[in-house]
Every structure is written in structure tokens, then in C-alpha cells.
Amino acid sequence: MDYFIHLGILFAIYVILGAGLNLLVGYTGLLSVTHAAFYGIGAYTTAILLTQTGFGFFSSVILGIFVTMITAFLVGIVLSKFKDDYYALASLGFNIIVFSAFLNWQDLTKGPLGIPGISRPELFGFSFSSNISYFVLAILFAGLIYFISKFIINSSFGRVLKAIREDEKAIQVFGYNTQFYKLAIFVISAGMASVAGSLFASYITFIDPSSFYIIESIFILTIIIIGGLANMRGVLLGALFLILLPEALRFVGFPSDIAAQMRQVVYGLILVLLMLYRPKGFLGEYDL
Amino acid sequence: MNSILKTKKIIKHFDGVKAVDGLSVEIEKGKITGLIGPNGSGKTTLMNLLTGMFPFDGGFVAVDGVSGIKKIRSYDIPAFGITRTFQDVRLFEQMTVLDNILVVLTERNIVSALFERHKKIHHEKAKEVLERVGLWEKKNELAINLSYGQRKLLEIARALAMNSEIYFFDEPFAGLFPEMVKLVSGIIKELRTHGKTVVLIEHDMGLIRELCDYVFVMESGKLLAEGEPEKVLKNKDVIEAYLGE
Ligand SMILES: Nc1ncnc2c1ncn2[C@@H]1O[C@H](COP(=O)(O)OP(=O)(O)O)[C@@H](O)[C@H]1O
Ligand SMILES: [Mg+2]
């Protein structure tokens, strides 16, 4: 049972990551491969604040969002100079830079050793130390982020994002300075990833740089591509699918250490097959 | 003459191709002005320059009382009272017909847009322009699923939704069935009735005669002739330019 709760918490975290990235990739058509960087900045902010200062979890979430959004703002200005493939590559480059900062900025991040002993959240004397209580907390956060994403998509702003995806030059002629829109959604999406990072750090209570490398960005991309770009329910489906997949592999009889490696192979395979036969994913409205 | 839009020796070169080569034209307010010339003579490029699709290499533009403009940014175009359609129909393909219209009606300010859902007035305006082109029934279809003619009509509806002063239409009749041609020419005439200014790129000389008050003829990025359609279409150079095609 505890194991299902564990999976449920991971599910909530990946729904948050997927929702934010879908706003960017699915709705706006910006193929960003740097989501794990913002996820990591959120995680490290919470980890550092909880282990080295008197900050509580919830204020660390807020501060993490703040730090991540400022970083995303600066990065977004640079990225706005690129288009299409170049955008993807440049964003990937940023993920590499942030990863090496986690690895090498030892005073702050303890480098490859990582940061242990991150505490669980407390609220009005209640500690979310049991996994079931943490699950409830994570689901609440995921629900909130999901709701905010829906709110954005259904707004006039969200409709402009789709138009940017469809034909940026054309929508400009109708009076939209699209740079601002792209920057805004990049920053919002990064802020959401930061929340997932905070939740992850405080749940696992230990983080090191390896959780925030490019492969993680690609994993999050896979979630939204499998579920279907520009579809919010697709995020739920994609997250569920990719989290249950390793369990399914174990179930059909792979030993767990092989299952872990098989997982990556199967993810890769699924991506290739989807691109070949169903580029819209299961529920998607739009293919890359 | 009461001109609303002027270019002065405007230039655009693409790697040696002089697409628009020192062109000066003056568009009269409240009239339909034709822009004709053989393929590749620079008509579309002129519209692209005037709507900020790319920068021009030289010359000036004057519009709506502002003169000496050297640089036009596409998102400032509505502020100059200009809107347009594209020769190569540019819709928001994976959005519904209704959303294709609503997106040009709603809030431009980014923060307000975040907290706005389309309002009744937006919906009513969208209905009005979609009914005008006969696409209201298709409002929930994706634009990509429309026929070619319907797509052109949707682009025209989108331009109408802008309530602009100046309308650029780049070959709006090309590929349309006769009854659609009638519909579009009716819309263009109606715009003139309401005092709007129209610039029309068109190859069908019958339509040019029927609709235009004045015509500019381009060839190789330069002005070949200008004047009332009846006179211009009898001009030897113009006939030659077209026969030479
Ligand atoms: N974006 C572009 N890049 C390079 N060359 C272009 C571009 N747009 C137009 N041209 C060239 O400029 C010339 C004029 O094209 P265009 O304005 O489309 O002519 P028209 O609309 O009169 O048929 C052509 O030689 C065309 O190949
Ligand atoms: Mg043309």
C-alpha cells in the first residue's frame, strides 16, 4: 500500500511538471528541453532553505518560485532570439549549464554528494511526515497547478498562445507583441516546475544533481507527448502511463535492476513509435 | 486628393532581387485601389513591407497623418488602422473558426488578457463577421478542415473583425467559385460605402474594372503606370507587360 502512495506522490509531481511544460510546448509551440533545470532550481532552493535556514517548507516554495521565475525571465529573454530547432538546442544548453552549477557550486549545493536531511513540511504544528499525508499535500498542489493551467488556457491570453503556435508572424499583424507572451508563459511554466521541485526535495528528503539532468527534461516531454500535446487530460494520462510503466515491466517478470534500465529503452521506443504512428499522442490536439 | 497612405521611394532587395525598387504610391482614402502587375513584380512584397512582415531597405512611408516612417513593426499595424489578408492564406489552422476570429477581438494587454475570457461583445462581433461570409455554421470546425474557398473567406472575416480603416487584400478572389467571388466583391464594395480604404491585388481585369477607382501597375518592383482602370488597362506598356508573361 505504501508503495502505491509513493507512486501517487510521484504522479502528482509529474502532473505539475507536465502541466507547466504543456503550456509551453503544447499550447505555445515552444519546444523547450530545459524543464528539469527549473525543477532543480525549485528543489535546491527548498533543500538549501530547509537545511541551512529557519525557513519553513511553504515559504521555501514561494521563494523557490520567485528565484526560478527570475532565472526564467533572464533565460527567456535570450531564448526569445531563437526559433524552432535552435530554440530546442539553446534551451537544452541551459539545462546543461544549470546542471553543472548544481554539480560544481559546492558551497551552495554540496556538488555530487547532494543535500541530505531535508525536512518534511509542517503546517500549524502538523507534520506531513507520513506518506499518506504527503500524498494529500502533493495532490492538492497538483490540483491547484492543474486548475491554474486550465484557467490560463481558457483565457484570452491562452488563445493568443495557440495562435503564436499556429502562425506567430500572422498574429503579430493583428496587434500582438508576441515576445511578451512567449516570455510570460515561459516564466509561468518555470514557476510551476519549481513547485514540483520543492515537493520532490521535501518528499525524498535528499537531492543530488542527477535528478535534474537533460534526461529528466526529456522524460517530462515524453509525458506530454504520450498524453497528447495541448491537452490537459493528456498530462494526467501521460504521467500515469510513464509512472506505471516500470511497475508493468516488473510485473511481467523483469528483475528490478534490469527493469530500471529497460524503462529508458521502452520510453525511447514509445517516443519513436508515437512519432511514427500517432504524433498527436493519445489525446493531443496538435503535433510538433 | 485625400491620401491616407503613401510610400516614398520604398526599397526592398532580396539577395540581389529588387522586389520593390524605389516605389512611390499614394492611396486615396475611402477608395478601392488596385495593385496589378505580372507575377513576381513585387505586389505582395509591397503589402508585406507596409505591414511590417520584414523591414524595408530604404524609403519612407506615411500613414494616417504620420510621415517619414522608416520602420514598421507588424504589431503596430492595427494602430495605423491597417489590416490584411495573405495571398498564401495564413489561418490559425488548429484552432476553431470561432477562435480564429475571437483571437483578433480580445484584449491586447497581456495581464488583462490573462484574466479575460471572451465577452459577449466579442462573440457578437464574431457572429456578425462569420455570418457575413457564411461560416457561422462552421464555427466549431478547425480551420484546417475548411475547404480552400472557406479558408479564404475566414481570412476575410478575420480582417473585417478588426474594424480597420485600411484593408489590404492580396488576391482574395484567386481560386474562389463564382458565387464566392460575388460575395467577396460585395464585401469590398460595402467597405467603400462605409468610407473604408481598400488596396486590392488582383489578376482578373474584369474585377479590377468593376471594383477599382484607381490602379497602380507594377513591373519588376517599379511603377509601370497608374490611373483610372479604363485608361490604364488600355496603356500599351501595361498590355505588353501582361502579354510578355
Ligand atoms: N521572402 C522572400 N525572400 C526572397 N525573395 C522574395 C521573398 N518574397 C518575395 N521575393 C521575391 O521578390 C519578387 C517579388 O515577389 P512578390 O512580391 O511575391 O511578387 P507578386 O506578389 O507581384 O507576384 C519575386 O522575385 C520573389 O521571388
Ligand atoms: Mg503575390
Side-chain angles (χ1 to χ4, degrees):
Chain A
M1 187 58 201
D2 216 38
Y3 193 65
F4 280 105
I5 292 168
H6 166 72
L7 292 180
I9 292 168
L10 289 185
F11 172 74
I13 289 172
Y14 281 107
V15 165
I16 295 173
L17 290 168
L21 191 61
N22 206 15
L23 292 176
L24 203 57
V25 181
Y27 288 92
T28 321
L30 298 171
L31 184 50
S32 162
V33 198
T34 193
H35 216 51
F38 299 122
Y39 178 42
I41 293 174
Y44 269 97
T45 307
T46 286
I48 291 163
L49 288 176
L50 290 191
T51 53
Q52 292 172 24
T53 72
F55 270 90
F57 173 78
F58 293 96
S59 32
S60 88
V61 172
I62 305 288
L63 215 69
I65 293 174
F66 197 66
V67 173
T68 309
M69 282 186 150
I70 287 173
T71 315
F73 180 77
L74 299 174
V75 175
I77 288 173
V78 178
L79 283 183
S80 71
K81 310 229 178 302
F82 299 98
K83 262 190 148 59
D84 305 329
D85 309 359
Y86 298 97
Y87 186 95
L89 275 176
S91 69
L92 193 122
F94 174 69
N95 200 151
I96 296 174
I97 293 170
V98 170
F99 176 76
S100 26
F102 293 154
L103 207 58
N104 296 307
W105 193 351
Q106 307 236 356
D107 295 340
L108 200 63
T109 66
K110 304 224 175 73
L113 295 176
I115 301 177
I118 307 161
S119 54
R120 285 285 180 89
E122 275 179 30
L123 194 63
F124 308 123
F126 177 79
S127 166
F128 292 86
S129 50
S130 75
N131 278 3
I132 184 78
S133 63
Y134 205 88
F135 171 72
V136 172
L137 181 73
I139 289 291
L140 284 178
F141 267 107
L144 181 67
I145 297 287
Y146 192 85
F147 172 80
I148 293 172
S149 303
K150 283 284 242 193
F151 181 86
I152 291 172
I153 292 154
N154 292 328
S155 69
S156 298
F157 174 90
R159 194 183 292 106
V160 178
L161 295 183
K162 287 195 206 172
I164 290 173
R165 173 190 80 197
E166 294 302 317
D167 191 337
E168 184 176 358
K169 204 68 211 181
I171 191 65
Q172 282 177 355
V173 170
F174 294 95
Y176 289 99
N177 187 348
T178 54
Q179 301 279 15
F180 292 148
Y181 281 79
K182 290 195 290 183
L183 189 55
I185 199 62
F186 188 72
V187 170
I188 291 171
S189 154
M192 290 178 172
S194 170
V195 174
S198 297
L199 277 173
F200 177 75
S202 180
Y203 171 58
I204 305 288
T205 69
F206 165 80
I207 57 166
D208 69 3
S210 68
S211 304
F212 311 109
Y213 197 47
I214 293 168
I215 189 73
E216 189 67 15
S217 291
I218 292 174
F219 182 71
I220 305 163
L221 261 178
T222 315
I223 286 180
I224 61 172
I225 290 173
I226 285 182
L229 292 170
N231 184 304
M232 288 304 294
R233 267 174 304 142
V235 172
L236 303 181
L237 192 71
L240 195 66
F241 186 81
L242 284 199
I243 279 164
L244 290 183
L245 185 70
E247 312 313 316
L249 287 177
R250 230 191 309 272
F251 186 75
V252 294
F254 286 104
S256 10
D257 54 333
I258 296 181
Q261 279 147 35
M262 274 304 288
R263 196 177 68 160
Q264 308 234 339
V265 175
V266 174
Y267 290 161
L269 206 63
I270 289 172
L271 262 187
V272 174
L273 289 175
L274 269 180
M275 289 302 112
L276 276 174
Y277 297 109
R278 189 158 171 83
K280 285 182 174 187
F282 289 129
L283 300 174
E285 290 179 9
Y286 154 75
D287 42 292
L288 281 174
Chain B
M1 167 176 164
N2 181 11
S3 80
I4 192 167
L5 174 66
K6 265 198 256 188
T7 69
K8 184 110 200 216
K9 295 192 172 146
I10 192 171
I11 299 174
K12 181 69 188 180
H13 293 180
F14 294 109
D15 314 303
V17 178
K18 295 173 176 172
V20 171
D21 194 15
L23 192 71
S24 302
V25 295
E26 203 168 335
I27 309 291
E28 190 170 353
K29 188 173 162 64
K31 296 283 155 92
I32 302 173
T33 302
L35 194 54
I36 65 174
N39 269 325
S41 55
K43 307 179 296 293
T44 297
T45 303
L46 178 62
M47 275 193 186
N48 284 340
L49 294 177
L50 292 174
T51 51
M53 299 297 282
F54 28 66
F56 35 99
D57 302 328
F60 301 95
V61 172
V63 57
D64 198 23
V66 189
S67 56
I69 301 167
K70 281 190 187 171
K71 188 171 184 239
I72 297 176
R73 287 172 305 199
S74 46
Y75 50 84
D76 288 334
I77 286 303
F80 288 125
I82 299 176
T83 194
R84 71 172 293 177
T85 65
F86 298 89
Q87 184 178 352
D88 53 343
V89 192
R90 294 175 75 161
L91 294 169
F92 309 117
E93 305 275 1
Q94 313 248 15
M95 289 166 62
T96 63
V97 167
L98 183 60
D99 273 344
N100 266 271
I101 304 295
L102 287 176
V103 76
V104 305
L105 290 171
T106 50
E107 182 63 54
R108 297 300 191 271
N109 177 285
I110 194 163
V111 180
S112 316
L114 197 50
F115 294 98
E116 180 196 74
R117 296 195 172 206
H118 73 266
K119 299 180 187 137
K120 207 159 161 240
I121 42 162
H122 301 138
H123 200 262
E124 276 163 8
K125 182 72 190 176
K127 186 166 184 220
E128 176 195 322
V129 298
L130 284 173
E131 276 179 343
R132 185 70 183 88
V133 299
L135 285 177
W136 179 242
E137 263 71 61
K138 301 259 176 199
K139 59 180 183 298
N140 295 323
E141 293 261 356
L142 290 184
I144 197 168
N145 295 331
L146 298 182
S147 73
Y148 180 75
Q150 290 170 333
R151 293 159 55 76
K152 294 204 84 146
L153 293 176
L154 179 54
E155 243 205 345
I156 290 166
R158 185 174 66 182
L160 293 179
M162 291 294 287
N163 253 342
S164 296
E165 279 308 309
I166 309 173
Y167 291 79
F168 290 169
F169 294 119
D170 194 346
E171 303 199 16
F173 300 105
L176 291 192
F177 291 118
E179 68 271 24
M180 286 180 173
V181 169
K182 239 177 151 176
L183 176 64
V184 174
S185 65
I187 289 171
I188 291 175
K189 285 179 192 160
E190 195 178 302
L191 286 170
R192 177 174 52 192
T193 312
H194 290 122
K196 309 292 188 182
T197 308
V198 175
V199 181
L200 174 67
I201 298 179
E202 179 49 43
H203 282 300
D204 183 328
M205 293 310 139
L207 285 165
I208 291 287
R209 276 201 190 87
E210 180 191 335
L211 294 170
C212 295
D213 303 297
Y214 201 83
V215 179
F216 290 99
V217 189
M218 288 182 70
E219 195 192 20
S220 309
K222 289 195 163 76
L223 198 59
L224 183 66
E226 65 177 290
E228 281 153 20
E230 285 308 328
K231 285 181 199 155
V232 166
L233 294 179
K234 284 189 191 120
N235 181 319
K236 258 208 199 100
D237 295 336
V238 174
I239 295 166
E240 216 166 81
Y242 268 97
L243 289 179
E245 230 188 358

